[in-house]
Each structure stands twice: as C-alpha cells, then as structure tokens.
Amino acid sequence: MRGRAAGAVARATGPINFLGSVDKATGVVREGSGCGIGGRALRDAVLVFPHGSGSSVGAYTIYSLKSHGVAPAAMVCERADMAVATGCAAAGIPMVVAGPAEYGALRDGARAVVDTDAGVVRPEAGGVESPAPGRAAHHGAARGGLPEDRPAEP
Amino acid sequence: MELSVEEERAYRGEEGPAEEAAYRILVAAGEAAGAERLVPVEWAHLSGVNYNTIGEAGRDLLAELAAQGARARVKATLNPMGYDRDSVGRYGLGGEFVAGQEAIRESYAAMGVEPTFSCVPYELFAPPAGEAQVAFAESNAAIYANSLAGMRTNREGALGALASAITGKSPHSELREPDRGGAPESAVVVDLEGPTEVDYGLLGLFAGRAACGSSVAIAGAGEPDARCRKALCGGMGTAGTCARFALGDAGGARETVRFGREEARAERDGLDTAERGDVIVLGSPQLGLPELVGLASMLEGRRFSRRCMVFCPRAAKEQAARLGHARALERAGCELLADCCACLTPLVGPGEVDAVTTNSVKGAYYLNGSTGVGVSLRPLSEIVAAEAVPR
C-alpha cells in the first residue's frame, strides 16, 4: 500500500499473527504472543516486524484496527505476506517491504518516516516536522474503508 | 504491475466501486509481494466469515461492498461462521452477535458466494481440471490445495480472496508457476516412530516456521492418512507463511532440520497447557464424513463421560444424519455442529469452560491464544481411551 507516514517505531522481533495476537478494537498486542512487543499499543506507531504469519483473517484484524482508530500509521516488513498486504490495502495503511539495511536502521522507540512514493524508509532526522498520523492513509478511505481518491498509476 | 486494458479500466473505477476496491486490494498486495501481473483464477475460497473474528468493521465493509454491487465472478465458497443455526438458540449467544453474524451471512449471499461455511472446501468439491489456478484464503485450505489437491494458490489474505472472487483474478507468484519456484530451500527430516495426528499437526507448525521460502520439503513422514494430512495442513497454517509442502525426500534443499521426539515435545509444550478439559472439542479443521464414521466406530458401545463438541461441514452433518451415524454419535455423547469450527467460535469460551481437550494443534493454538482457555492436547485414540466409558 502506497502512502506516507511518520511515527514512533514499534519493533517486533518475531512474525505477527494478527488474528489472535492483536486486539482488533484496542490495537494492543497480546502478552505471550511471541512477537516481542506483547502489551504494547500499536496506535500511530510505525510497526516494524519480519512478516505476518498464520491466519488469513489477519487482514480483517488490520482493517478493524483502522476502523477503531487504533491502527499503526505504517507497517514495514522484511517480506510480504498476503494477509498483511491486503489488510493494509483495504485499510489504507502505507506498507513497505524494506531492504536489510533500511530494516535494520529502524530502532524501537525512535521516530521513523515511511514514504513509499519517494522510496524512503528511515529514522526521522531531528527537527523534521512529521505529518499528523491521520494523514498517513491518503490512499485509504475515511468512510467505510473503501477507496475514494485514486492514485495515478497502479 | 502490468495490468491488462480491462483490469486497468476496472482499477480506475469504470466497472463500479466494488470492482475498483477489489482491484486496488489486489494491486497493492501484488506490489508488496513483487508480483508482475494478475492471473485468472477459477475458484476463490473466502475466510473472514465469523463475526467473532471480523467484528463490526468487517460486517460493515461486506455490507457496503454488497450494496455497491459486488458479485462473485467465479466459483466462491465460504469459511465457517460463528455457530450452527440449528442449535444456536441453546447457547445463549448475545443478540448482537447473532445479528452481526446474520448480516455477514446475508452480505455474502447477496454477492452470490456459496454458503458452505467450511474450512475444508477440498472435501466438498473436486478440484477443477488440470492444476487449476485458485485463490484460497483459510491457511489450511491453501496449503492443502497446493500440496495435496493439485491446485495452485497463494496463501491469500482474507480480503485478497474476497477481491479475487469479485474480479476472478489473483496476484501471480512462484507458487503459480509450473515448477512452483523449484525445489524448496528448506527441508524437514522426520524421525518419529508411529506418529499420531497430533505429531503431524506439530510437524506442520514446526515445518511452517522452519521454511524460508513459500514451500518446504518434508522427508520421512510416511504416508499420512486423511486425518493426519489435515492436521499437518492445519498446524502449518497457524505459523509462518509457508504455502506448500512436498512429501518425499529432502533433495535440493539448502537447509535441513530434524523433527524428532524432542522437537515434537518442545512444540507440544507451548500448546498443551491443561491437565484435562471440561469439554472435548474435535474438528479444526472440520471433520469430514469418513472421520465422523471413524469416530462413531471408535465409540461403539461407549459414551464420553463429558461433553464432546464435533465440528463438521453441514453437508457432512446431513449425510451423517441420513446414514444413522449422527444418532450413533449422539448416543455416544457427541454434539454435531455444522457451519462453525473449534477455533474462535463463541460457543467455546472462557465464560463456559476453563479448559478443553482436543487432538487439533490448530485448535490448541487459537484456543490458548485468542479464546483464552487451557488446552489438553492428545491424539483421538488417547482421548477415547481416557474419556469414553462403557455404555
């Protein structure tokens, strides 16, 4: 999913099965889910994790997070999986697959910028104004989650 | 991504908002996965049906798509929902849950999706001829389709499979190639005496996590029967992103890991969290007719000393009733539940029970994790020996 966002990095150490590991109404990661960020709230974060795993229904979990206003501002993965990619697409959450150097440079708790059109995923430099978290989903849908604006090219 | 003229037109909204939304999901997912194009599919199997898992946001999205004119363009089938309508009245589910679930059912009906409510679509319909391209969400079904049923699918996301039903397309990937991306990079060598269905489930979980690509080779696993094959697919679906296994030898793999008694025990330790369940739960994936017949015969002359819930497709429940197996199972203390599944049904929850006994690794994973009840994980033969008394 294309888009631009900034936020504090929530860096998971393991894959996330969104169905079962993330509360769809609160955006809090369940303790003991094995991804290393149990108990954390994902709202407005740049969620950095290797990849989604397990249930295909994780796509709806991600969509629900957006509907409840508790979604991450962006997601950065090491590799793509269809549950996360389609969930982010429907929810309008920018999502990128980062190279090893970019992925490794994102530190837990530090702020980061994701801009898929400019091909940028990096720690945020000091003094740079970050866009409001709500603006991140500029390809997504404010109402009901269905697309409203249209990107120029696929 | 390269789109055809027709795809491009639909992507731009010229075929209406539902097609536009569906194409945008497919293109975004395809871009993330590095797909160069979309391919036609003959069958989409949709997950995201249970109100427990998709909630009001999912319900509203489906209602909006249905109202916008979304229709299944290819054969489309559905995963389990939250309950069996025949017996839901006995469970005291809240009215809000039932209303939410019925709204979801109606949206899918309006879209022309077959109301199969089953996580084992491969037991309900024959695969289309000739290594057909399909789009299966439901992780166990995608893995089964690729590994055992001669079909080709990505391990689709729920919303991707829905988009595939509406458009008849899915992102291309190596899994869709004739050689499926070549020999798997990772292999698991099984070293177990007399593996049970629980061992196969644990093997699936282990191999799915060990796989570094979209496929994994599994050597030394013998010739698993139907129950063990389903357990393997279900276990693999709960972890990782692996979409296919190849039973046989480990030839060509770069990495080989062993799966012996110790590895099985380590996997089991995380899931086997209770001494004994208050209720026995069978059917994740749902049991087919042959498994129902087998269960009835194991229980002949005996009766479970505690409640036993058996989850199966409606077609299997109806056939079992016609053939007398359902009556035999009921006499043995089993309740047959169609249209839903052991994972994530509100019929099994912390309010009702503290712990369940099951032979399903997939069930154990979700019951422990999301439902929040303890699990005693053992093979069916042990469950019957321990819990069924002479009648």
Side-chain angles (χ1 to χ4, degrees):
Chain A
M1 185 67 208
R2 296 182 186 181
R4 186 167 54 90
V9 170
R11 189 179 175 105
T13 50
I16 302 177
N17 185 345
F18 279 81
L19 178 67
S21 300
V22 182
D23 185 309
K24 64 182 181 292
T26 65
V28 174
V29 182
R30 189 174 58 77
E31 299 278 5
S33 56
C35 62
I37 50 170
R40 303 260 297 264
L42 300 180
R43 181 179 184 164
D44 298 339
V46 172
L47 176 61
V48 178
F49 61 116
H51 53 83
S53 75
S55 177
S56 59
V57 184
Y60 276 99
T61 308
I62 292 167
Y63 182 80
S64 289
L65 294 176
K66 187 71 181 181
S67 296
H68 284 95
V70 295
M75 297 197 197
V76 181
C77 297
E78 280 184 302
R79 64 178 148 97
D81 73 279
M82 290 295 180
V84 168
T86 60
C88 286
I93 299 171
M95 182 257 169
V96 285
V97 176
E102 289 173 321
Y103 188 86
L106 301 171
R107 300 275 162 240
D108 191 43
R111 289 186 64 82
V113 179
V114 173
D115 184 340
T116 61
D117 289 332
V120 173
V121 180
R122 58 170 167 78
E124 194 171 50
V128 174
E129 194 188 334
S130 64
R135 287 180 51 209
H138 67 260
H139 285 173
R143 181 190 48 77
L146 298 180
E148 286 177 340
D149 60 342
R150 291 164 194 185
E153 291 299 328
Chain B
M1 222 169 149
E2 284 282 325
L3 297 186
S4 70
V5 175
E6 293 78 27
E7 290 166 350
E8 181 79 34
R9 198 181 299 128
Y11 178 81
R12 292 182 176 284
E14 289 170 34
E15 303 292 333
E19 291 246 336
E20 179 190 354
Y23 269 104
R24 289 184 53 172
I25 289 170
L26 294 176
V27 168
E31 281 183 342
E36 285 159 12
R37 62 181 195 280
L38 299 174
V39 299
V41 294
E42 295 181 46
W43 179 4
H45 180 73
L46 280 48
S47 62
V49 187
N50 184 349
Y51 185 63
N52 223 14
T53 61
I54 71 169
E56 64 269 38
R59 174 200 64 195
D60 293 349
L61 174 67
L62 291 166
E64 191 171 352
L65 282 167
Q68 287 175 341
R71 295 293 177 269
R73 221 175 235 269
V74 294
K75 171 176 167 168
T77 49
L78 277 186
N79 237 20
M81 59 178 201
Y83 49 72
D84 182 337
R85 294 171 88 198
D86 297 346
S87 57
V88 61
R90 295 207 295 274
Y91 279 88
L93 291 185
E96 190 207 329
F97 187 94
V98 174
Q101 185 64 80
E102 291 303 311
I104 291 166
R105 203 175 53 76
E106 284 160 21
S107 294
Y108 281 123
M111 292 187 219
V113 181
E114 292 288 337
T116 47
F117 302 115
S118 173
C119 50
V120 293
Y122 46 80
E123 290 187 346
L124 302 181
F125 298 94
E131 299 275 312
Q133 301 285 357
V134 300
F136 280 16
E138 176 43 43
S139 49
N140 101 80
I143 293 164
Y144 194 103
N146 279 329
S147 312
L148 300 166
M151 293 182 267
R152 296 169 189 279
T153 180
N154 302 319
R155 194 160 147 181
E156 311 287 359
L159 290 162
L162 174 62
S164 294
I166 294 168
T167 60
K169 304 286 173 69
S170 169
H172 184 260
S173 74
E174 65 181 13
L175 287 160
R176 299 190 175 287
E177 297 278 353
D179 74 344
R180 297 172 180 270
E185 278 181 59
S186 315
V188 174
V189 178
V190 182
D191 181 12
L192 282 180
E193 281 294 316
T196 65
E197 77 273 22
V198 171
D199 293 320
Y200 276 103
L202 298 169
L203 167 63
L205 192 60
F206 179 87
R209 219 184 281 121
C212 43
S214 60
S215 298
V216 63
I218 298 180
E223 285 180 16
D225 64 11
R227 182 191 300 149
C228 292
R229 290 196 296 268
K230 287 164 74 174
L232 178 54
C233 294
M236 188 171 284
T238 61
T241 56
C242 182
R244 175 181 167 256
F245 58 82
L247 291 176
D249 59 40
R254 207 162 39 82
E255 281 180 14
T256 299
V257 284
R258 180 181 169 275
F259 182 79
R261 201 39 77 191
E262 222 163 279
E263 287 77 14
R265 192 175 307 119
E267 292 293 343
R268 184 182 176 146
D269 281 349
L271 297 172
D272 186 29
T273 53
E275 197 69 16
R276 191 176 180 195
D278 313 315
V279 54
I280 300 160
V281 164
L282 304 175
S284 176
Q286 290 171 334
L287 302 192
L289 184 65
E291 289 169 281
L292 294 177
V293 175
L295 179 63
S297 112
M298 286 171 90
L299 288 168
E300 213 172 317
R302 311 173 81 174
R303 182 181 172 83
F304 278 128
S305 53
R306 53 192 62 211
R307 218 171 126 213
C308 176
M309 302 167 80
V310 179
F311 295 89
C312 60
R314 178 156 300 277
K317 183 181 169 182
E318 285 174 357
Q319 284 173 301
R322 276 199 295 275
L323 298 169
H325 304 302
R327 230 176 97 73
L329 286 167
E330 279 155 20
R331 271 202 307 270
C334 300
E335 179 187 4
L336 289 186
L337 291 148
D339 298 341
C340 47
C341 162
C343 316
L344 305 165
T345 171
L347 307 183
V348 182
E352 323 292 321
V353 292
D354 293 326
V356 305
T357 296
T358 187
N359 65 342
S360 164
V361 165
K362 177 178 181 173
Y365 177 91
Y366 286 106
L367 286 161
N368 272 306
S370 332
T371 309
V373 300
V375 175
S376 170
L377 177 63
R378 318 132 162 240
L380 183 57
S381 57
E382 272 182 41
I383 296 174
V384 170
E387 304 285 5
V389 294
R391 197 162 56 212

